[in-house]
């Protein structure tokens, strides 16, 4: 019974999607430390990331519960179906954000001082689709906190490189979230919800997504020079660029299976590939 509940909560916050931001956080951590930081630092970075990410997802599910119930595509989610209630979800939110704040405190004073800014982004994102088509960009910025925060956790000070890496994450996430949002163009327009697909139409939205991902690759190449990396890193970027090309090629809003592959499955592979080749570059390059 307990295991079943935890499984349900994991599905609610889409725990498996931690793969999106975790690899970039590890990259930020490795670059900041020029190798591996202490075990304690690694531990608290992972704890902070897990708490922040899952708390933010639970919050988003609670904020969107009424919208999800009206949308045929999302009506089977846990809150619309009554599998979990608001009290349970708020319990998850409070526990996860509490873990995040405590982990930031254990890392260093700067990380702890920045927790209100991170929490503000998590809260504001959940409401953005009600007033701006830039919701995808706000989501990307919120996710960009993973590599930037990991860098700050190691060094305790700001630098240029982590913000470039953060911009990579922001553009990447915003790009594939736009693709995901193309499934709801009609619903969003009928319910006065905002998104780039609803505001600019399907074709223009896909062009914007492509531009975001193109700039993302340019920034990843720029990091090759900024961080003085080797050809190994570039191999990972090349593979990722090919995968992004495939992602945009197969997009089909009318085909739910293809959309899942394009917006989620491929992107769950991209970040681990970039991480793998970055690690190889750092330790054997």
């Amino acid at each position: 019974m307990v295991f079943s509940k935890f499984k349900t909560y994991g599905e609610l916050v889409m725990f498996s999607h931690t793969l999106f931001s975790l690899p970039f956080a590890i990259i930020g951590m490795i670059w900041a430390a020029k190798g591996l930081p202490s075990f304690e630092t690694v531990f608290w970075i992972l704890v902070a990331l897990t708490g922040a990410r899952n708390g933010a997802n639970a919050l988003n599910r609670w904020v969107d519960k009424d919208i999800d119930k009206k949308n045929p595509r999302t009506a089977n989610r846990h809150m619309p179906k009554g599998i979990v209630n608001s009290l349970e979800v708020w319990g998850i939110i409070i526990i996860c954000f509490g873990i995040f704040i405590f982990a930031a405190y254990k890392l260093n004073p700067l990380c702890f001082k920045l927790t209100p800014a991170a929490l503000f982004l998590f809260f504001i994102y959940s409401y953005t689709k009600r007033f701006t088509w830039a919701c995808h960009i706000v989501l990307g910025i919120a996710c960009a906190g993973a590599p930037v925060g990991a860098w700050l956790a190691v060094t305790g000070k700001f630098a240029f490189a982590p913000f470039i890496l953060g911009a990579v994450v922001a553009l990447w996430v915003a790009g594939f979230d736009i693709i995901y949002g193309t499934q709801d163009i009609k619903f969003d327009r009928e319910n006065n919800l905002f998104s780039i697909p609803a505001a600019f139409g399907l074709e223009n939205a896909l062009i914007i997504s492509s531009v975001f991902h193109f700039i993302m690759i340019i920034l990843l190449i720029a990091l090759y020079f900024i961080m003085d990396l080797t050809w190994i890193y570039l191999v990972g970027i090349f593979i990722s660029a090919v995968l992004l090309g495939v992602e945009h090629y197969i997009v089909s809003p009318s085909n739910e299976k293809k959309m899942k592959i394009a917006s989620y499955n491929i992107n769950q592979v991209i970040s681990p590939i970039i991480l793998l080749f970055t690690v190889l570059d750092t330790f054997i390059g």
Side-chain angles (χ1 to χ4, degrees), residues 70-105:
K70 292 168 64 177
N71 188 341
R73 188 181 61 78
T74 57
N76 285 325
R77 286 178 176 173
H78 295 77
M79 291 208 73
K81 289 188 71 175
I83 298 172
V84 294
N85 58 45
S86 291
L87 184 62
E88 289 175 286
V89 175
W90 269 102
I92 294 170
I93 295 168
I94 292 169
I95 291 170
C96 287
F97 284 161
I99 289 170
F100 165 61
I101 293 169
F102 181 72
Y105 169 78

PDB file of all heavy atoms in Angstrom, residues 70-105:
ATOM      1  N   LYS A  70     -10.599  19.723 -17.722  1.00  0.00           N
ATOM      2  CA  LYS A  70     -11.379  20.127 -18.900  1.00  0.00           C
ATOM      3  C   LYS A  70     -10.744  19.657 -20.210  1.00  0.00           C
ATOM      4  O   LYS A  70     -11.421  19.521 -21.213  1.00  0.00           O
ATOM      5  CB  LYS A  70     -11.514  21.651 -18.923  1.00  0.00           C
ATOM      6  CG  LYS A  70     -12.372  22.207 -17.804  1.00  0.00           C
ATOM      7  CD  LYS A  70     -12.239  23.719 -17.701  1.00  0.00           C
ATOM      8  CE  LYS A  70     -12.766  24.415 -18.944  1.00  0.00           C
ATOM      9  NZ  LYS A  70     -12.696  25.896 -18.812  1.00  0.00           N
ATOM     10  N   ASN A  71      -9.419  19.438 -20.178  1.00  0.00           N
ATOM     11  CA  ASN A  71      -8.689  19.073 -21.393  1.00  0.00           C
ATOM     12  C   ASN A  71      -8.718  17.557 -21.589  1.00  0.00           C
ATOM     13  O   ASN A  71      -8.209  16.818 -20.744  1.00  0.00           O
ATOM     14  CB  ASN A  71      -7.232  19.552 -21.284  1.00  0.00           C
ATOM     15  CG  ASN A  71      -6.458  19.378 -22.580  1.00  0.00           C
ATOM     16  OD1 ASN A  71      -6.838  18.605 -23.453  1.00  0.00           O
ATOM     17  ND2 ASN A  71      -5.349  20.085 -22.694  1.00  0.00           N
ATOM     18  N   PRO A  72      -9.313  17.045 -22.675  1.00  0.00           N
ATOM     19  CA  PRO A  72      -9.380  15.591 -22.891  1.00  0.00           C
ATOM     20  C   PRO A  72      -8.006  14.910 -22.857  1.00  0.00           C
ATOM     21  O   PRO A  72      -7.894  13.763 -22.432  1.00  0.00           O
ATOM     22  CB  PRO A  72     -10.003  15.471 -24.291  1.00  0.00           C
ATOM     23  CG  PRO A  72     -10.772  16.736 -24.468  1.00  0.00           C
ATOM     24  CD  PRO A  72      -9.973  17.791 -23.763  1.00  0.00           C
ATOM     25  N   ARG A  73      -6.957  15.641 -23.264  1.00  0.00           N
ATOM     26  CA  ARG A  73      -5.624  15.050 -23.294  1.00  0.00           C
ATOM     27  C   ARG A  73      -5.053  14.839 -21.903  1.00  0.00           C
ATOM     28  O   ARG A  73      -4.223  13.940 -21.680  1.00  0.00           O
ATOM     29  CB  ARG A  73      -4.677  15.963 -24.108  1.00  0.00           C
ATOM     30  CG  ARG A  73      -3.315  15.348 -24.369  1.00  0.00           C
ATOM     31  CD  ARG A  73      -2.432  16.300 -25.151  1.00  0.00           C
ATOM     32  NE  ARG A  73      -2.180  17.540 -24.450  1.00  0.00           N
ATOM     33  CZ  ARG A  73      -1.308  17.686 -23.448  1.00  0.00           C
ATOM     34  NH1 ARG A  73      -0.601  16.647 -23.024  1.00  0.00           N
ATOM     35  NH2 ARG A  73      -1.140  18.854 -22.867  1.00  0.00           N
ATOM     36  N   THR A  74      -5.485  15.651 -20.932  1.00  0.00           N
ATOM     37  CA  THR A  74      -4.916  15.572 -19.590  1.00  0.00           C
ATOM     38  C   THR A  74      -5.929  15.144 -18.524  1.00  0.00           C
ATOM     39  O   THR A  74      -5.601  15.112 -17.342  1.00  0.00           O
ATOM     40  CB  THR A  74      -4.336  16.944 -19.188  1.00  0.00           C
ATOM     41  OG1 THR A  74      -5.372  17.938 -19.264  1.00  0.00           O
ATOM     42  CG2 THR A  74      -3.202  17.339 -20.114  1.00  0.00           C
ATOM     43  N   ALA A  75      -7.143  14.829 -18.940  1.00  0.00           N
ATOM     44  CA  ALA A  75      -8.216  14.501 -17.991  1.00  0.00           C
ATOM     45  C   ALA A  75      -7.925  13.250 -17.163  1.00  0.00           C
ATOM     46  O   ALA A  75      -8.532  13.049 -16.110  1.00  0.00           O
ATOM     47  CB  ALA A  75      -9.536  14.341 -18.729  1.00  0.00           C
ATOM     48  N   ASN A  76      -7.001  12.409 -17.640  1.00  0.00           N
ATOM     49  CA  ASN A  76      -6.673  11.180 -16.911  1.00  0.00           C
ATOM     50  C   ASN A  76      -5.531  11.336 -15.920  1.00  0.00           C
ATOM     51  O   ASN A  76      -5.077  10.353 -15.331  1.00  0.00           O
ATOM     52  CB  ASN A  76      -6.318  10.052 -17.899  1.00  0.00           C
ATOM     53  CG  ASN A  76      -7.551   9.489 -18.574  1.00  0.00           C
ATOM     54  OD1 ASN A  76      -8.623   9.392 -17.969  1.00  0.00           O
ATOM     55  ND2 ASN A  76      -7.424   9.133 -19.848  1.00  0.00           N
ATOM     56  N   ARG A  77      -5.065  12.572 -15.739  1.00  0.00           N
ATOM     57  CA  ARG A  77      -4.007  12.785 -14.754  1.00  0.00           C
ATOM     58  C   ARG A  77      -4.540  12.551 -13.338  1.00  0.00           C
ATOM     59  O   ARG A  77      -5.738  12.508 -13.108  1.00  0.00           O
ATOM     60  CB  ARG A  77      -3.427  14.204 -14.902  1.00  0.00           C
ATOM     61  CG  ARG A  77      -2.545  14.354 -16.131  1.00  0.00           C
ATOM     62  CD  ARG A  77      -2.023  15.763 -16.289  1.00  0.00           C
ATOM     63  NE  ARG A  77      -1.097  15.860 -17.429  1.00  0.00           N
ATOM     64  CZ  ARG A  77      -0.601  16.994 -17.880  1.00  0.00           C
ATOM     65  NH1 ARG A  77      -0.939  18.155 -17.311  1.00  0.00           N
ATOM     66  NH2 ARG A  77       0.232  16.993 -18.913  1.00  0.00           N
ATOM     67  N   HIS A  78      -3.641  12.457 -12.391  1.00  0.00           N
ATOM     68  CA  HIS A  78      -3.990  12.005 -11.042  1.00  0.00           C
ATOM     69  C   HIS A  78      -4.982  12.913 -10.318  1.00  0.00           C
ATOM     70  O   HIS A  78      -5.917  12.423  -9.681  1.00  0.00           O
ATOM     71  CB  HIS A  78      -2.712  11.877 -10.201  1.00  0.00           C
ATOM     72  CG  HIS A  78      -1.776  10.821 -10.702  1.00  0.00           C
ATOM     73  ND1 HIS A  78      -0.971  11.000 -11.811  1.00  0.00           N
ATOM     74  CD2 HIS A  78      -1.527   9.560 -10.264  1.00  0.00           C
ATOM     75  CE1 HIS A  78      -0.273   9.917 -12.026  1.00  0.00           C
ATOM     76  NE2 HIS A  78      -0.583   9.017 -11.114  1.00  0.00           N
ATOM     77  N   MET A  79      -4.818  14.215 -10.408  1.00  0.00           N
ATOM     78  CA  MET A  79      -5.730  15.104  -9.689  1.00  0.00           C
ATOM     79  C   MET A  79      -7.112  15.165 -10.330  1.00  0.00           C
ATOM     80  O   MET A  79      -8.120  15.059  -9.620  1.00  0.00           O
ATOM     81  CB  MET A  79      -5.116  16.502  -9.548  1.00  0.00           C
ATOM     82  CG  MET A  79      -3.923  16.534  -8.605  1.00  0.00           C
ATOM     83  SD  MET A  79      -3.707  18.147  -7.809  1.00  0.00           S
ATOM     84  CE  MET A  79      -5.058  18.155  -6.625  1.00  0.00           C
ATOM     85  N   PRO A  80      -7.222  15.318 -11.657  1.00  0.00           N
ATOM     86  CA  PRO A  80      -8.566  15.311 -12.258  1.00  0.00           C
ATOM     87  C   PRO A  80      -9.342  14.028 -11.976  1.00  0.00           C
ATOM     88  O   PRO A  80     -10.567  14.058 -11.827  1.00  0.00           O
ATOM     89  CB  PRO A  80      -8.263  15.455 -13.759  1.00  0.00           C
ATOM     90  CG  PRO A  80      -6.960  16.162 -13.825  1.00  0.00           C
ATOM     91  CD  PRO A  80      -6.185  15.626 -12.658  1.00  0.00           C
ATOM     92  N   LYS A  81      -8.656  12.905 -11.902  1.00  0.00           N
ATOM     93  CA  LYS A  81      -9.326  11.625 -11.656  1.00  0.00           C
ATOM     94  C   LYS A  81      -9.563  11.358 -10.170  1.00  0.00           C
ATOM     95  O   LYS A  81     -10.213  10.378  -9.811  1.00  0.00           O
ATOM     96  CB  LYS A  81      -8.499  10.475 -12.247  1.00  0.00           C
ATOM     97  CG  LYS A  81      -8.498  10.432 -13.775  1.00  0.00           C
ATOM     98  CD  LYS A  81      -7.831   9.187 -14.304  1.00  0.00           C
ATOM     99  CE  LYS A  81      -8.684   7.950 -14.055  1.00  0.00           C
ATOM    100  NZ  LYS A  81      -8.087   6.737 -14.669  1.00  0.00           N
ATOM    101  N   GLY A  82      -9.027  12.203  -9.303  1.00  0.00           N
ATOM    102  CA  GLY A  82      -9.237  12.037  -7.870  1.00  0.00           C
ATOM    103  C   GLY A  82      -8.361  10.975  -7.236  1.00  0.00           C
ATOM    104  O   GLY A  82      -8.620  10.526  -6.118  1.00  0.00           O
ATOM    105  N   ILE A  83      -7.297  10.566  -7.932  1.00  0.00           N
ATOM    106  CA  ILE A  83      -6.380   9.551  -7.379  1.00  0.00           C
ATOM    107  C   ILE A  83      -5.599  10.127  -6.212  1.00  0.00           C
ATOM    108  O   ILE A  83      -5.304   9.435  -5.239  1.00  0.00           O
ATOM    109  CB  ILE A  83      -5.432   9.036  -8.485  1.00  0.00           C
ATOM    110  CG1 ILE A  83      -6.240   8.354  -9.592  1.00  0.00           C
ATOM    111  CG2 ILE A  83      -4.394   8.074  -7.909  1.00  0.00           C
ATOM    112  CD1 ILE A  83      -5.421   7.978 -10.806  1.00  0.00           C
ATOM    113  N   VAL A  84      -5.256  11.411  -6.312  1.00  0.00           N
ATOM    114  CA  VAL A  84      -4.652  12.120  -5.182  1.00  0.00           C
ATOM    115  C   VAL A  84      -5.440  13.402  -4.955  1.00  0.00           C
ATOM    116  O   VAL A  84      -6.022  13.960  -5.887  1.00  0.00           O
ATOM    117  CB  VAL A  84      -3.165  12.463  -5.443  1.00  0.00           C
ATOM    118  CG1 VAL A  84      -2.331  11.205  -5.538  1.00  0.00           C
ATOM    119  CG2 VAL A  84      -2.999  13.288  -6.709  1.00  0.00           C
ATOM    120  N   ASN A  85      -5.469  13.867  -3.723  1.00  0.00           N
ATOM    121  CA  ASN A  85      -6.234  15.079  -3.414  1.00  0.00           C
ATOM    122  C   ASN A  85      -5.299  16.255  -3.138  1.00  0.00           C
ATOM    123  O   ASN A  85      -4.073  16.104  -3.060  1.00  0.00           O
ATOM    124  CB  ASN A  85      -7.176  14.836  -2.222  1.00  0.00           C
ATOM    125  CG  ASN A  85      -6.432  14.390  -0.969  1.00  0.00           C
ATOM    126  OD1 ASN A  85      -5.396  14.952  -0.624  1.00  0.00           O
ATOM    127  ND2 ASN A  85      -6.961  13.367  -0.284  1.00  0.00           N
ATOM    128  N   SER A  86      -5.881  17.417  -2.955  1.00  0.00           N
ATOM    129  CA  SER A  86      -5.099  18.642  -2.763  1.00  0.00           C
ATOM    130  C   SER A  86      -4.229  18.577  -1.517  1.00  0.00           C
ATOM    131  O   SER A  86      -3.095  19.078  -1.511  1.00  0.00           O
ATOM    132  CB  SER A  86      -6.032  19.859  -2.680  1.00  0.00           C
ATOM    133  OG  SER A  86      -6.633  20.117  -3.926  1.00  0.00           O
ATOM    134  N   LEU A  87      -4.738  17.974  -0.441  1.00  0.00           N
ATOM    135  CA  LEU A  87      -3.967  17.875   0.796  1.00  0.00           C
ATOM    136  C   LEU A  87      -2.687  17.067   0.576  1.00  0.00           C
ATOM    137  O   LEU A  87      -1.599  17.451   1.031  1.00  0.00           O
ATOM    138  CB  LEU A  87      -4.818  17.226   1.898  1.00  0.00           C
ATOM    139  CG  LEU A  87      -4.162  17.138   3.276  1.00  0.00           C
ATOM    140  CD1 LEU A  87      -3.866  18.544   3.805  1.00  0.00           C
ATOM    141  CD2 LEU A  87      -5.071  16.378   4.247  1.00  0.00           C
ATOM    142  N   GLU A  88      -2.818  15.951  -0.158  1.00  0.00           N
ATOM    143  CA  GLU A  88      -1.647  15.129  -0.453  1.00  0.00           C
ATOM    144  C   GLU A  88      -0.631  15.894  -1.300  1.00  0.00           C
ATOM    145  O   GLU A  88       0.571  15.859  -1.034  1.00  0.00           O
ATOM    146  CB  GLU A  88      -2.073  13.865  -1.189  1.00  0.00           C
ATOM    147  CG  GLU A  88      -2.832  12.850  -0.355  1.00  0.00           C
ATOM    148  CD  GLU A  88      -3.311  11.678  -1.190  1.00  0.00           C
ATOM    149  OE1 GLU A  88      -4.279  11.866  -1.959  1.00  0.00           O
ATOM    150  OE2 GLU A  88      -2.700  10.595  -1.096  1.00  0.00           O
ATOM    151  N   VAL A  89      -1.144  16.592  -2.304  1.00  0.00           N
ATOM    152  CA  VAL A  89      -0.242  17.314  -3.206  1.00  0.00           C
ATOM    153  C   VAL A  89       0.465  18.441  -2.469  1.00  0.00           C
ATOM    154  O   VAL A  89       1.676  18.643  -2.644  1.00  0.00           O
ATOM    155  CB  VAL A  89      -1.016  17.863  -4.429  1.00  0.00           C
ATOM    156  CG1 VAL A  89      -0.097  18.708  -5.303  1.00  0.00           C
ATOM    157  CG2 VAL A  89      -1.591  16.709  -5.244  1.00  0.00           C
ATOM    158  N   TRP A  90      -0.255  19.158  -1.620  1.00  0.00           N
ATOM    159  CA  TRP A  90       0.391  20.215  -0.865  1.00  0.00           C
ATOM    160  C   TRP A  90       1.388  19.662   0.146  1.00  0.00           C
ATOM    161  O   TRP A  90       2.399  20.311   0.461  1.00  0.00           O
ATOM    162  CB  TRP A  90      -0.642  21.116  -0.179  1.00  0.00           C
ATOM    163  CG  TRP A  90      -0.997  22.258  -1.067  1.00  0.00           C
ATOM    164  CD1 TRP A  90      -2.115  22.399  -1.836  1.00  0.00           C
ATOM    165  CD2 TRP A  90      -0.183  23.397  -1.334  1.00  0.00           C
ATOM    166  NE1 TRP A  90      -2.056  23.564  -2.560  1.00  0.00           N
ATOM    167  CE2 TRP A  90      -0.885  24.201  -2.277  1.00  0.00           C
ATOM    168  CE3 TRP A  90       1.064  23.828  -0.884  1.00  0.00           C
ATOM    169  CZ2 TRP A  90      -0.372  25.395  -2.764  1.00  0.00           C
ATOM    170  CZ3 TRP A  90       1.575  25.025  -1.369  1.00  0.00           C
ATOM    171  CH2 TRP A  90       0.864  25.796  -2.283  1.00  0.00           C
ATOM    172  N   GLY A  91       1.127  18.471   0.638  1.00  0.00           N
ATOM    173  CA  GLY A  91       2.109  17.810   1.499  1.00  0.00           C
ATOM    174  C   GLY A  91       3.408  17.572   0.746  1.00  0.00           C
ATOM    175  O   GLY A  91       4.509  17.812   1.268  1.00  0.00           O
ATOM    176  N   ILE A  92       3.277  17.097  -0.498  1.00  0.00           N
ATOM    177  CA  ILE A  92       4.455  16.859  -1.348  1.00  0.00           C
ATOM    178  C   ILE A  92       5.186  18.173  -1.620  1.00  0.00           C
ATOM    179  O   ILE A  92       6.418  18.251  -1.528  1.00  0.00           O
ATOM    180  CB  ILE A  92       4.035  16.197  -2.676  1.00  0.00           C
ATOM    181  CG1 ILE A  92       3.484  14.788  -2.423  1.00  0.00           C
ATOM    182  CG2 ILE A  92       5.223  16.123  -3.642  1.00  0.00           C
ATOM    183  CD1 ILE A  92       2.835  14.155  -3.640  1.00  0.00           C
ATOM    184  N   ILE A  93       4.413  19.222  -1.941  1.00  0.00           N
ATOM    185  CA  ILE A  93       5.014  20.528  -2.253  1.00  0.00           C
ATOM    186  C   ILE A  93       5.825  21.045  -1.067  1.00  0.00           C
ATOM    187  O   ILE A  93       6.987  21.454  -1.214  1.00  0.00           O
ATOM    188  CB  ILE A  93       3.921  21.545  -2.637  1.00  0.00           C
ATOM    189  CG1 ILE A  93       3.232  21.139  -3.934  1.00  0.00           C
ATOM    190  CG2 ILE A  93       4.514  22.955  -2.764  1.00  0.00           C
ATOM    191  CD1 ILE A  93       1.955  21.919  -4.219  1.00  0.00           C
ATOM    192  N   ILE A  94       5.227  21.030   0.107  1.00  0.00           N
ATOM    193  CA  ILE A  94       5.885  21.571   1.307  1.00  0.00           C
ATOM    194  C   ILE A  94       7.123  20.758   1.667  1.00  0.00           C
ATOM    195  O   ILE A  94       8.188  21.311   1.970  1.00  0.00           O
ATOM    196  CB  ILE A  94       4.894  21.606   2.487  1.00  0.00           C
ATOM    197  CG1 ILE A  94       3.802  22.652   2.212  1.00  0.00           C
ATOM    198  CG2 ILE A  94       5.613  21.928   3.796  1.00  0.00           C
ATOM    199  CD1 ILE A  94       2.627  22.592   3.161  1.00  0.00           C
ATOM    200  N   ILE A  95       7.008  19.436   1.607  1.00  0.00           N
ATOM    201  CA  ILE A  95       8.152  18.580   1.936  1.00  0.00           C
ATOM    202  C   ILE A  95       9.291  18.788   0.939  1.00  0.00           C
ATOM    203  O   ILE A  95      10.449  18.959   1.323  1.00  0.00           O
ATOM    204  CB  ILE A  95       7.730  17.092   1.973  1.00  0.00           C
ATOM    205  CG1 ILE A  95       6.817  16.836   3.177  1.00  0.00           C
ATOM    206  CG2 ILE A  95       8.953  16.171   2.030  1.00  0.00           C
ATOM    207  CD1 ILE A  95       6.163  15.469   3.171  1.00  0.00           C
ATOM    208  N   CYS A  96       8.961  18.782  -0.354  1.00  0.00           N
ATOM    209  CA  CYS A  96       9.993  18.928  -1.389  1.00  0.00           C
ATOM    210  C   CYS A  96      10.676  20.291  -1.322  1.00  0.00           C
ATOM    211  O   CYS A  96      11.914  20.374  -1.396  1.00  0.00           O
ATOM    212  CB  CYS A  96       9.390  18.699  -2.770  1.00  0.00           C
ATOM    213  SG  CYS A  96       9.006  16.982  -3.142  1.00  0.00           S
ATOM    214  N   PHE A  97       9.907  21.348  -1.172  1.00  0.00           N
ATOM    215  CA  PHE A  97      10.521  22.676  -1.088  1.00  0.00           C
ATOM    216  C   PHE A  97      11.295  22.843   0.219  1.00  0.00           C
ATOM    217  O   PHE A  97      12.314  23.544   0.257  1.00  0.00           O
ATOM    218  CB  PHE A  97       9.463  23.765  -1.238  1.00  0.00           C
ATOM    219  CG  PHE A  97       9.000  23.969  -2.661  1.00  0.00           C
ATOM    220  CD1 PHE A  97       7.800  24.608  -2.937  1.00  0.00           C
ATOM    221  CD2 PHE A  97       9.764  23.512  -3.730  1.00  0.00           C
ATOM    222  CE1 PHE A  97       7.378  24.815  -4.248  1.00  0.00           C
ATOM    223  CE2 PHE A  97       9.343  23.710  -5.046  1.00  0.00           C
ATOM    224  CZ  PHE A  97       8.150  24.355  -5.299  1.00  0.00           C
ATOM    225  N   GLY A  98      10.817  22.198   1.272  1.00  0.00           N
ATOM    226  CA  GLY A  98      11.565  22.228   2.533  1.00  0.00           C
ATOM    227  C   GLY A  98      12.914  21.543   2.378  1.00  0.00           C
ATOM    228  O   GLY A  98      13.946  22.029   2.872  1.00  0.00           O
ATOM    229  N   ILE A  99      12.922  20.404   1.682  1.00  0.00           N
ATOM    230  CA  ILE A  99      14.169  19.691   1.401  1.00  0.00           C
ATOM    231  C   ILE A  99      15.099  20.557   0.562  1.00  0.00           C
ATOM    232  O   ILE A  99      16.304  20.634   0.816  1.00  0.00           O
ATOM    233  CB  ILE A  99      13.868  18.359   0.686  1.00  0.00           C
ATOM    234  CG1 ILE A  99      13.211  17.370   1.648  1.00  0.00           C
ATOM    235  CG2 ILE A  99      15.139  17.749   0.082  1.00  0.00           C
ATOM    236  CD1 ILE A  99      12.672  16.124   0.979  1.00  0.00           C
ATOM    237  N   PHE A 100      14.542  21.217  -0.444  1.00  0.00           N
ATOM    238  CA  PHE A 100      15.324  22.100  -1.313  1.00  0.00           C
ATOM    239  C   PHE A 100      15.992  23.219  -0.510  1.00  0.00           C
ATOM    240  O   PHE A 100      17.196  23.479  -0.651  1.00  0.00           O
ATOM    241  CB  PHE A 100      14.411  22.678  -2.393  1.00  0.00           C
ATOM    242  CG  PHE A 100      14.976  23.851  -3.126  1.00  0.00           C
ATOM    243  CD1 PHE A 100      16.151  23.737  -3.870  1.00  0.00           C
ATOM    244  CD2 PHE A 100      14.330  25.089  -3.090  1.00  0.00           C
ATOM    245  CE1 PHE A 100      16.673  24.829  -4.557  1.00  0.00           C
ATOM    246  CE2 PHE A 100      14.849  26.178  -3.781  1.00  0.00           C
ATOM    247  CZ  PHE A 100      16.019  26.058  -4.504  1.00  0.00           C
ATOM    248  N   ILE A 101      15.223  23.881   0.349  1.00  0.00           N
ATOM    249  CA  ILE A 101      15.754  24.998   1.135  1.00  0.00           C
ATOM    250  C   ILE A 101      16.842  24.507   2.099  1.00  0.00           C
ATOM    251  O   ILE A 101      17.899  25.140   2.247  1.00  0.00           O
ATOM    252  CB  ILE A 101      14.622  25.701   1.908  1.00  0.00           C
ATOM    253  CG1 ILE A 101      13.668  26.395   0.920  1.00  0.00           C
ATOM    254  CG2 ILE A 101      15.174  26.715   2.903  1.00  0.00           C
ATOM    255  CD1 ILE A 101      12.376  26.884   1.543  1.00  0.00           C
ATOM    256  N   PHE A 102      16.601  23.358   2.737  1.00  0.00           N
ATOM    257  CA  PHE A 102      17.585  22.824   3.689  1.00  0.00           C
ATOM    258  C   PHE A 102      18.873  22.441   2.962  1.00  0.00           C
ATOM    259  O   PHE A 102      19.975  22.714   3.454  1.00  0.00           O
ATOM    260  CB  PHE A 102      17.009  21.609   4.420  1.00  0.00           C
ATOM    261  CG  PHE A 102      17.957  21.021   5.431  1.00  0.00           C
ATOM    262  CD1 PHE A 102      18.230  21.697   6.617  1.00  0.00           C
ATOM    263  CD2 PHE A 102      18.596  19.810   5.190  1.00  0.00           C
ATOM    264  CE1 PHE A 102      19.120  21.170   7.548  1.00  0.00           C
ATOM    265  CE2 PHE A 102      19.473  19.272   6.118  1.00  0.00           C
ATOM    266  CZ  PHE A 102      19.740  19.962   7.303  1.00  0.00           C
ATOM    267  N   ALA A 103      18.733  21.816   1.778  1.00  0.00           N
ATOM    268  CA  ALA A 103      19.915  21.422   1.004  1.00  0.00           C
ATOM    269  C   ALA A 103      20.709  22.660   0.589  1.00  0.00           C
ATOM    270  O   ALA A 103      21.946  22.668   0.630  1.00  0.00           O
ATOM    271  CB  ALA A 103      19.503  20.617  -0.220  1.00  0.00           C
ATOM    272  N   ALA A 104      20.015  23.720   0.168  1.00  0.00           N
ATOM    273  CA  ALA A 104      20.693  24.960  -0.209  1.00  0.00           C
ATOM    274  C   ALA A 104      21.435  25.543   0.985  1.00  0.00           C
ATOM    275  O   ALA A 104      22.559  26.051   0.854  1.00  0.00           O
ATOM    276  CB  ALA A 104      19.675  25.968  -0.754  1.00  0.00           C
ATOM    277  N   TYR A 105      20.815  25.469   2.160  1.00  0.00           N
ATOM    278  CA  TYR A 105      21.459  25.950   3.390  1.00  0.00           C
ATOM    279  C   TYR A 105      22.742  25.169   3.682  1.00  0.00           C
ATOM    280  O   TYR A 105      23.755  25.748   4.107  1.00  0.00           O
ATOM    281  CB  TYR A 105      20.472  25.816   4.558  1.00  0.00           C
ATOM    282  CG  TYR A 105      21.087  26.030   5.916  1.00  0.00           C
ATOM    283  CD1 TYR A 105      21.370  27.321   6.380  1.00  0.00           C
ATOM    284  CD2 TYR A 105      21.395  24.947   6.739  1.00  0.00           C
ATOM    285  CE1 TYR A 105      21.936  27.521   7.631  1.00  0.00           C
ATOM    286  CE2 TYR A 105      21.971  25.139   7.991  1.00  0.00           C
ATOM    287  CZ  TYR A 105      22.236  26.418   8.423  1.00  0.00           C
ATOM    288  OH  TYR A 105      22.812  26.615   9.650  1.00  0.00           O
TER     289      TYR A 105
END
